[in-house]
């Protein structure tokens, strides 16, 4: 709420400072990332509340011993880097310098985030859609639909050709739901907890007050010994009313009357983002989405706005 009460220029300035701070922290992170993939580098052991152990390198880089090849930066999950980079690619193409923008793209790929890798071609393609004439926006929309159809069948053909490769099978094939040789959905691996699937199904079928109001914060961890990031966990803990409230905020913060096609694409992107990492109310996620999807559009062409000035 404090952030939202700031004048628009100050909100945009805050985002610019935040993105550059993260970018500067990528620099030592990349250096450490290279070192730990070559040498055995001394580190501290950080144990999270859920007992998961991480390697902490000089308080500037995290990693798990089994996935040194994934870029973590200062976060305890490489998927955070992938999600953050995806938001930058989608909304901040004209906000950062070309060098800064490319650095976030590189970080996204080094994180080996499946979400970033799969969505990158699409979100990059649409990243300039609010700055081009209306006719070109419509053309982009239909061109993308055609490309997606071609990509869908090409992707299926490529995956099935390498199905016997254990890395492809584990890292890509098993992440999708298959039916008659076609991809029909994503496997939700964010709430694989013993007993949760059955409890969630019963929770929804009963349709009692808890379904609308939720069972309360940390109820999943209390009942199942661990938690995760999943839309089902959000419904279980917060209830459908809060989820609908969140969806309402997402819709309202877009400039539908001025940028309908951009807003439509942006909402789809946010729903995909939150499906695999439900952190809408986390301050940095919310700020990046709120500014990127709405306010920044009004300032992009103002020569003297904070958008175009160095901090």
């Amino acid at each position: 709420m404090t952030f939202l009460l700031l004048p628009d220029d100050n909100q945009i300035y805050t985002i610019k400072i935040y993105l550059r701070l993260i970018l500067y922290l990528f620099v030592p992170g990349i250096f450490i990332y290279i070192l730990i993939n070559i040498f055995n580098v001394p580190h501290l052991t950080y144990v999270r509340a859920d007992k998961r152990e991480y390697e902490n390198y000089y308080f500037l880089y995290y990693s798990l011993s089994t996935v040194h090849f994934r870029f973590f930066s200062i976060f305890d999950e490489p998927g955070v880097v992938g999600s953050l980079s995806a938001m930058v690619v989608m909304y901040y193409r004209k906000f950062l310098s070309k060098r800064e923008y490319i650095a976030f793209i590189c970080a996204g790929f080094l994180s080996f985030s499946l979400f970033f890798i799969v969505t990158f071609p699409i979100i990059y393609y649409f990243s300039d859609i609010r700055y081009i004439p209306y006719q070109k926006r419509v053309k982009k929309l239909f061109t993308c639909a055609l490309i997606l159809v071609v990509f869908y069948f090409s992707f299926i053909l490529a995956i099935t050709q390498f199905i016997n490769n254990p890395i492809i099978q584990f890292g890509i094939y098993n992440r999708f739901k298959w039916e008659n040789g076609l991809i029909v959905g994503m496997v939700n691996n964010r709430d694989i907890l013993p007993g949760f699937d059955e409890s969630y199904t019963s929770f929804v079928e009963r349709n009692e007050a808890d379904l609308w109001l939720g069972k309360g914060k940390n109820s999943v961890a209390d009942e199942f010994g661990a938690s995760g990031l999943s839309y089902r966990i959000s419904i279980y803990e917060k209830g459908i009313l809060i989820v609908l409230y969140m969806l309402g905020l997402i819709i309202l913060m877009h400039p539908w009357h001025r940028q309908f096609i951009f807003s439509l694409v942006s909402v789809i992107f946010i729903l995909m983002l939150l499906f695999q990492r439900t952190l809408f109310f986390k301050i940095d996620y919310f700020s990046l989405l709120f500014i990127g999807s709405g306010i920044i559009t009004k300032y992009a062409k103002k020569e003297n706005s904070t958008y175009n000035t160095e901090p």
Side-chain angles (χ1 to χ4, degrees):
M1 291 302 298
T2 303
F3 177 79
L4 292 176
L5 290 172
L6 289 171
D8 290 356
D9 272 347
N10 293 109
Q11 290 185 30
I12 293 174
Y13 181 77
T14 301
I15 291 300
K16 177 166 283 191
I17 294 297
Y18 173 76
L19 288 178
R20 284 187 170 162
L21 174 62
I22 296 299
L23 190 63
Y24 297 153
L25 290 170
F26 279 171
V27 176
I30 288 290
F31 179 68
I32 297 171
Y33 167 78
I34 295 172
L35 285 180
I36 66 175
N37 277 282
I38 302 175
F39 306 107
N40 184 18
V41 181
H43 58 270
L44 300 174
T45 299
Y46 161 63
V47 183
R48 210 165 60 176
D50 60 3
K51 308 303 180 184
R52 196 171 186 181
E53 292 189 0
Y54 291 85
E55 297 174 355
N56 180 291
Y57 295 88
Y58 315 110
F59 304 103
L60 292 171
Y61 191 84
Y62 285 84
S63 184
L64 291 168
S65 58
T66 55
V67 288
H68 281 173
F69 67 92
R70 298 190 68 180
F71 181 66
F72 281 65
S73 187
I74 57 170
F75 305 103
D76 63 359
E77 294 290 347
V80 178
V81 178
S83 297
L84 176 64
S85 298
M87 286 188 277
V88 171
V89 172
M90 178 67 193
Y91 297 117
Y92 295 97
R93 181 171 175 174
K94 292 183 176 294
F95 186 74
L96 300 174
S97 69
K98 183 177 292 187
R99 183 179 300 175
E100 292 169 335
Y101 191 69
I102 292 174
F104 273 103
I105 292 175
C106 291
F109 278 109
L110 289 177
S111 73
F112 285 89
S113 163
L114 182 62
F115 174 77
F116 180 84
I117 293 171
V118 170
T119 61
F120 172 75
I122 302 171
I123 58 179
Y124 181 79
Y125 181 73
F126 282 116
S127 60
D128 65 345
I129 194 168
R130 56 184 146 180
Y131 307 113
I132 59 178
Y134 180 77
Q135 292 80 3
K136 289 186 177 181
R137 296 178 206 169
V138 175
K139 183 179 179 181
K140 273 205 171 196
L141 199 60
F142 282 100
T143 302
C144 181
L146 179 61
I147 291 173
L148 283 176
V149 172
V150 174
F151 174 79
Y152 172 77
F153 289 104
S154 300
F155 182 75
I156 290 174
L157 179 63
I159 294 300
T160 52
Q161 291 297 314
F162 298 96
I163 186 59
N164 293 324
N165 185 307
I167 296 177
I168 298 296
Q169 188 176 53
F170 176 77
I172 301 179
Y173 184 88
N174 292 341
R175 298 290 295 274
F176 297 96
K177 295 179 181 178
W178 295 81
E179 188 174 308
N180 299 322
L182 299 176
I183 296 175
V184 295
M186 294 281 292
V187 173
N188 187 0
N189 64 347
R190 302 245 168 218
D191 53 24
I192 303 177
L193 306 168
F196 177 75
D197 195 58
E198 296 80 4
S199 293
Y200 179 80
T201 302
S202 174
F203 172 74
V204 172
E205 290 177 348
R206 289 198 310 270
N207 194 20
E208 297 175 350
D210 284 348
L211 177 62
W212 295 92
L213 303 176
K215 287 198 169 187
K217 185 177 180 180
N218 297 326
S219 58
V220 170
D222 293 340
E223 292 182 33
F224 305 99
S227 188
L229 293 172
S230 162
Y231 75 95
R232 297 202 305 174
I233 288 178
S234 294
I235 293 175
Y236 196 86
E237 293 189 341
K238 300 177 176 67
I240 289 180
L241 288 179
I242 291 296
V243 172
L244 291 176
Y245 167 70
M246 179 181 70
L247 293 176
L249 285 179
I250 291 171
I251 292 171
L252 288 173
M253 68 188 191
H254 283 82
W256 292 93
H257 61 289
R258 298 192 309 274
Q259 297 278 356
F260 180 81
I261 294 178
F262 161 76
S263 297
L264 180 64
V265 172
S266 177
V267 167
I268 294 172
F269 166 73
I270 293 175
L271 293 179
M272 292 170 59
L273 178 73
L274 298 182
F275 174 83
Q276 54 90 45
R277 194 168 292 276
T278 52
L279 293 172
F280 182 67
F281 293 112
K282 191 171 178 288
I283 183 62
D284 54 344
Y285 267 59
F286 176 80
S287 301
L288 286 168
L289 293 174
F290 181 77
I291 298 299
S293 64
I295 291 180
I296 210 173
T297 306
K298 298 185 297 184
Y299 284 74
K301 296 180 180 180
K302 287 188 176 182
E303 294 183 1
N304 298 319
S305 72
T306 307
Y307 178 95
N308 295 300
T309 59
E310 297 292 328

